[in-house]
Amino acid sequence: MKAQILKLLRAENGVVSGQALSAELGISRVSVWKHIKKLREVGYGIRSFPNGYQLLRSPDTPFAWEFPGREASIFYFAEVDSTMDIAKELARNGCPNLTVVVADRQNKGRGRLNRKWLSDAGGLYFTLVLRPEIPIILSSRISFLTSMTLARVLREMFDIDARVKWPNDILVNERKICGVLSEMEAEADRVNFINIGIGVNVNNDPSRSEPQASSLKVLLGRKIARKDFLRSFLDEFEAQLHKADLDRVISEWKRYTVTLHRRVRIVANHDVSEGTAVDVDANGALILQMADGSRKKILYGDCFHRDRKL
Ligand code: BTN
């Protein structure tokens, strides 16, 4: 109902009478008033006139009703420990493909390799529950599809040079803007669910504690509507999933990468490898050319670019 009220108020761009709203929505005027009251309580600026209501401003909060067609599959929270935990519970309880858990802040945001993910207000933190019908061996391609889609949407929406760093960081001017974390549960050799957690530095500024990171607001010099970005990303990601051409994901991803043809250092637990990144194989492993001419396949780790692009 809130989605419909907002749609009518936005369409008019002026005052809409309570009578028109109640007739259009098939509810009483008291009911309309109650929804308007609720919308005001969560931050919408709605002015009352003797003859109706006018929407003056909307908060940049990813309430489910701001995503027409996806209302039932978006779970919004102001604050959580981690959207990964909630998504895992939902997934184990059978929630459908493309369920989204999104939060304004996380107290225990998680990054890859057991790191913390700073989750201050202003950023966009969400986890997608995916149920692809694929064998486990192909599951890593979903993370590559995610990072590639993030880079693509950022480029299209903001005209910025968004790139991917192996495996799935999104950088602009060598600064990290987004991170991707995946968690999977499987039975036998089939995927039960893959949860993809995405943290986007939008209107926050992580650079004080993470000098290598930046945000869209810092880059563009203006505030960005998180809900517009989330909407565009979900639409594009869903379209990409339907194309389901997982054979082409890595070659597409390579078009956006800044890792290949560079000297890199990969740190995985206590193992450090240095070499030139020469390729990424079909399942996302990084191929390093070592100083002695041999090749090494790297399955996971932290990647540090050692030089400027060759
Ligand atoms: C990384 O680059 O290390 C991955 C960061 C992933 C962060 C996101 S924010 C939403 C989701 N919830 C979490 O706790 N982590 C992921």
Side-chain angles (χ1 to χ4, degrees):
M1 199 51 79
K2 292 185 183 59
Q4 284 165 296
I5 292 180
L6 289 169
K7 191 173 166 201
L8 292 170
L9 292 176
R10 282 174 179 149
E12 200 47 54
N13 200 16
V15 179
V16 183
S17 74
Q19 197 178 2
L21 288 171
S22 89
E24 195 79 35
L25 303 170
I27 57 175
S28 69
R29 289 181 66 171
V30 174
S31 221
V32 169
W33 179 79
K34 280 186 183 158
H35 284 294
I36 297 275
K37 184 166 173 279
K38 180 82 201 184
L39 285 168
R40 281 184 182 138
E41 280 165 13
V42 295
Y44 290 83
I46 301 175
R47 199 161 159 194
S48 290
F49 291 88
N51 55 336
Y53 304 98
Q54 183 180 17
L55 178 66
L56 300 177
R57 65 187 172 278
S58 302
D60 184 26
T61 310
F63 294 117
W65 60 72
E66 290 286 1
F67 300 84
R70 298 189 190 275
E71 292 96 325
S73 58
I74 297 202
F75 294 80
Y76 160 76
F77 298 88
E79 190 166 334
V80 294
D81 278 350
S82 165
T83 56
M84 300 306 282
D85 298 339
I86 297 172
K88 190 187 285 178
E89 202 177 316
L90 287 169
R92 285 181 175 166
N93 287 325
C95 72
N97 183 42
L98 275 168
T99 295
V100 183
V101 180
V102 56
D104 286 335
R105 286 180 303 279
Q106 301 183 112
N107 298 318
K108 293 183 186 158
R110 303 204 288 272
R112 288 177 61 243
L113 308 169
N114 287 326
R115 279 187 306 244
K116 286 187 186 152
W117 181 263
L118 278 181
S119 305
D120 296 342
L124 178 63
Y125 314 106
F126 63 105
T127 301
L128 295 171
V129 178
L130 304 175
R131 298 190 183 279
E133 299 201 353
I134 55 172
I136 294 171
I137 181 87
L138 298 184
S139 61
S140 61
R141 297 191 196 182
I142 301 288
S143 304
F144 284 82
L145 180 71
T146 307
S147 54
M148 185 204 63
T149 307
L150 282 165
R152 203 181 249 180
V153 173
L154 286 167
R155 296 169 83 92
E156 272 166 22
M157 281 185 85
F158 307 115
D159 197 20
I160 51 178
D161 190 25
R163 300 267 163 185
V164 284
K165 182 179 81 137
W166 185 87
N168 294 123
D169 290 352
I170 285 77
L171 311 185
V172 179
N173 303 338
E174 300 280 317
R175 300 279 183 114
K176 184 161 169 174
I177 299 288
C178 274
V180 175
L181 172 71
S182 68
E183 293 180 353
M184 180 181 73
E185 284 192 7
E187 274 163 55
D189 69 340
R190 287 208 72 78
V191 170
N192 186 6
F193 61 82
I194 302 178
N195 287 354
I196 301 280
I198 299 169
V200 191
N201 297 323
V202 183
N203 298 317
N204 53 324
D205 182 1
S207 61
R208 250 176 270 151
S209 25
E210 303 274 354
Q212 291 310 313
S214 190
S215 71
L216 290 173
K217 184 179 164 199
V218 170
L219 263 168
L220 298 167
R222 62 186 159 93
K223 272 188 112 179
I224 299 300
R226 295 177 308 151
K227 57 187 184 191
D228 291 351
F229 177 75
L230 181 56
R231 200 177 294 120
S232 302
F233 172 76
L234 293 175
D235 289 349
E236 178 66 20
F237 188 68
E238 189 172 5
Q240 293 289 336
L241 273 181
H242 283 146
K243 278 195 211 154
D245 193 357
L246 287 181
D247 288 340
R248 297 203 51 230
V249 166
I250 301 292
S251 61
E252 277 285 293
W253 179 93
K254 285 184 198 170
R255 292 177 48 202
Y256 297 102
T257 191
V258 271
T259 298
L260 290 181
H261 317 300
R262 285 176 88 150
R263 289 199 54 74
V264 297
R265 171 188 284 167
I266 309 293
V267 182
N269 298 327
H270 301 296
D271 191 27
V272 178
S273 309
E274 281 204 36
T276 303
V278 289
D279 203 1
V280 172
D281 79 8
N283 290 319
L286 184 66
I287 311 296
L288 290 193
Q289 169 119 6
M290 312 302 280
D292 64 3
S294 65
R295 290 198 165 190
K296 185 170 177 179
K297 191 190 228 190
I298 309 280
L299 297 176
Y300 70 96
D302 237 343
C303 173
F304 299 92
H305 293 157
R306 306 292 295 158
D307 56 13
R308 304 185 73 77
K309 212 163 163 18
L310 296 175

